[in-house]
Amino acid sequence: MDATDVGADLQKVLIPADRLQARVAELAAEIDADYAGSDLLLVGVLKGAVMIMADLARCMRLPVEMDWMAVSSYGSGTRSSGVVRILKDLDTDISGRHVLIVEDIVDSGLTLSWLVGNLRSRQPASLRLCVLLRKPGAARMDVDVAYTGFEIANEFVVGYGLDYAERYRNLPFVGTLAPHVYAGTGEAEAPEPAPEPVEEGREPGREA
Ligand code: IMP
Ligand code: MG
């Protein structure tokens, strides 16, 4: 899939495919160097991290194991509330293991800080984070990201694993959507990217 397949839905390409691939290769080299001689378990967060996980693991020289978790954070559709539910847990016992969580994006940081707390309680030998994209809001949550692909502005992005309403994940680049895509969805414009905690009850979940 490329830009021509989404036509007028696309507003702009923010990070082209070649820049994504080059940066992922750099991250892989850093991780290889940092974990040389140790057994590493990559934990991808479904579904958004599928693309970076696949490319990162293929660029790495170290043998790694891969496992997956699916979590859902509840908020007003596009806003994270910090209430996280495990939809799919790890198959692996991580106690005593070196674990690197691989995630597509950290926005408010609520999802990842919950996940770090959850996995830390299972007593891994080490636990670090690798995130493709980081938005400014993450600074407020004090999530310590060891490997960051790109710092981006506070706007809603899709592609390379990231979705809007489950679409656009298979674009090879990261981009923004035209306002008409959000029209008629109750979102007047692009989903609000800087969520504040909400107190409402359970609403349609947003899969991380
Ligand atoms: P957080 O808890 O606010 O950090 O939200 C994390 C999750 O929200 C990510 O794992 C994504 O699934 C989703 N998310 C946040 N920002 C975006 C975006 O710009 N595009 C697509 N999904 C996003
Ligand atoms: Mg995600």
Side-chain angles (χ1 to χ4, degrees), residues 37-202:
S38 45
D39 267 341
L40 179 61
L41 174 70
L42 300 178
V43 169
V45 186
L46 292 169
K47 307 168 194 166
V50 164
M51 303 298 177
I52 178 172
M53 182 84 156
D55 287 340
L56 186 75
R58 273 181 294 192
C59 285
M60 288 182 63
R61 312 297 296 263
L62 282 181
V64 290
E65 284 178 46
M66 294 157 112
D67 201 350
W68 303 90
M69 259 183 107
V71 296
S72 172
S73 54
Y74 287 98
S76 53
T78 52
R79 287 172 184 237
S80 210
S81 65
V83 180
V84 177
R85 195 164 61 103
I86 295 178
L87 303 176
K88 185 226 168 283
D89 207 340
L90 296 175
D91 298 330
T92 318
D93 175 6
I94 63 168
S95 74
R97 302 288 310 267
H98 294 288
V99 175
L100 181 64
I101 301 175
V102 180
E103 178 55 312
D104 53 357
I105 190 165
V106 53
D107 180 1
S108 69
L110 287 164
T111 307
L112 271 182
S113 64
W114 182 90
L115 195 59
V116 165
N118 182 286
L119 295 193
R120 192 161 277 149
S121 72
R122 308 180 195 194
Q123 278 143 12
S126 69
L127 182 63
R128 284 172 148 183
L129 288 172
C130 173
V131 167
L132 179 71
L133 306 174
R134 190 182 160 103
K135 289 190 189 177
R140 283 182 300 165
M141 274 304 286
D142 192 29
V143 260
D144 186 14
V145 181
Y147 308 96
T148 305
F150 301 88
E151 307 270 354
I152 62 166
N154 205 10
E155 58 186 342
F156 196 83
V157 293
V158 296
Y160 198 65
L162 292 143
D163 73 306
Y164 174 63
E166 292 301 325
R167 295 185 61 203
Y168 312 106
R169 291 192 198 274
N170 60 325
L171 287 170
F173 54 81
V174 170
T176 56
L177 293 174
H180 77 81
V181 177
Y182 306 108
T185 60
E187 310 273 355
E189 46 194 67
E192 192 54 56
E196 297 297 332
V198 286
E199 248 109 51
E200 299 135 83
R202 203 172 113 168

